[in-house]
Amino acid sequence: IKQEVINPLSSIKSMEKGRPHWWDDAVSFLSKDEVLSSVISQYPNEGLEGRGDIFYTFPRSIIRQQISVIAADAIWARLVEKVGDITPENIVKYTQDEIASCGLTRPKASYILGVANQSDDFLNQNWEDLSDNELHSHLTKFRGIGPWTAEMMMIFVFMRPDIFSPGDVGLLNAVRKLIPNLQGKDEITKFAERWAPYRTAASWFLWRTLDPVPVEY
């Protein structure tokens, strides 16, 4: 009997793209929440969209750490112009200095190159078998991927439904805008538990209250 050969990276190709399958359920659930209901009603035909490309989102997240969206977009455009398609194979053709010349700091350039050089370990996982905690642990074992970057990837690539990033300043400010008496990060994170099991969708709508353009990575 001929044994079927399974591509270990096939899960990457079949990763969900576009609107996540759970989005309508999330909107229905959150629309009953007294804090978010009025926000959700303003964006009836919008929602999270996934690219289904893990490595593409990783450098976008690295670039956006602690800088403005405008600055990050300019750096991203220069990186794409230099290397072409954002793949590990294309990234490793360049030196750290060449990557940094696109406007990145040297540490950020080294993080991107480091993961590109470890792409087999980074990408070759049975994603569907990993819990949220296991996925978070896998991502953060790579240099340059801290909790925030891992959470952005869990939201925008893996589209896990119940992710809230307490390290995201914009997200915290969005909650404070709606509930001014909430200030501390721990207090806000505790408050956000009301949106489980759809804290990812709640985060997306909270970001929309701050920016006329939907957040994407």
Side-chain angles (χ1 to χ4, degrees):
I1 299 175
K2 185 177 180 180
Q3 186 174 6
E4 183 182 2
V5 177
I6 300 175
N7 179 355
L9 299 183
S10 61
S11 62
I12 298 171
K13 297 178 181 178
S14 61
M15 188 165 292
E16 190 173 11
K17 298 180 182 179
R19 196 69 52 85
H21 67 275
W22 46 262
W23 188 258
D24 289 344
D25 290 338
V27 170
S28 177
F29 175 81
L30 296 172
S31 293
K32 300 180 179 69
D33 182 79
E34 62 182 10
V35 175
L36 285 182
S37 58
S38 61
V39 176
I40 291 172
S41 65
Q42 297 176 48
Y43 309 102
N45 300 312
E46 298 184 35
L48 176 66
E49 298 280 348
R51 295 177 183 273
D53 187 332
I54 301 168
F55 191 82
Y56 179 97
T57 294
F58 156 66
R60 282 182 71 88
S61 300
I62 292 292
I63 289 170
R64 288 198 175 187
Q65 291 173 353
Q66 299 179 330
I67 64 173
S68 71
V69 172
I70 294 174
D73 286 346
I75 293 170
W76 178 258
R78 290 194 290 270
L79 181 64
V80 171
E81 183 179 3
K82 178 176 284 292
V83 309
D85 291 339
I86 305 299
T87 64
E89 296 77 15
N90 284 348
I91 291 292
V92 297
K93 295 175 184 177
Y94 296 87
T95 67
Q96 179 179 338
D97 286 340
E98 287 172 329
I99 297 296
S101 71
C102 297
L104 290 90
T105 63
R106 284 181 58 80
K108 286 187 178 183
S110 72
Y111 301 155
I112 292 171
L113 272 173
V115 172
N117 279 307
Q118 302 176 71
S119 60
D120 285 348
D121 184 26
F122 184 64
L123 299 173
N124 187 7
Q125 303 293 320
N126 293 318
W127 305 113
E128 293 181 0
D129 294 337
L130 298 181
S131 67
D132 287 348
N133 286 337
E134 290 169 338
L135 176 55
H136 194 277
S137 294
H138 170 72
L139 295 172
T140 54
K141 77 179 184 180
F142 294 91
R143 196 168 65 93
I145 301 182
W148 179 85
T149 303
E151 287 149 6
M152 293 306 102
M153 295 185 69
M154 292 171 74
I155 290 173
F156 291 97
V157 180
F158 299 97
M159 296 195 291
R160 296 292 175 102
D162 197 30
I163 305 301
F164 186 84
S165 181
D168 189 276
V169 175
L171 195 55
L172 299 181
N173 287 339
V175 176
R176 293 186 185 108
K177 184 177 176 181
L178 296 173
I179 311 291
N181 63 313
L182 292 176
Q183 292 299 317
K185 179 169 66 175
D186 292 342
E187 191 178 10
I188 291 172
T189 302
K190 180 68 175 177
F191 183 83
E193 291 177 2
R194 65 188 287 137
W195 300 316
Y198 295 115
R199 281 174 285 187
T200 294
S203 298
W204 189 91
F205 285 108
L206 287 164
W207 279 318
R208 289 298 274 117
T209 67
L210 301 175
D211 198 323
V213 179
V215 178
E216 63 174 5
Y217 282 88

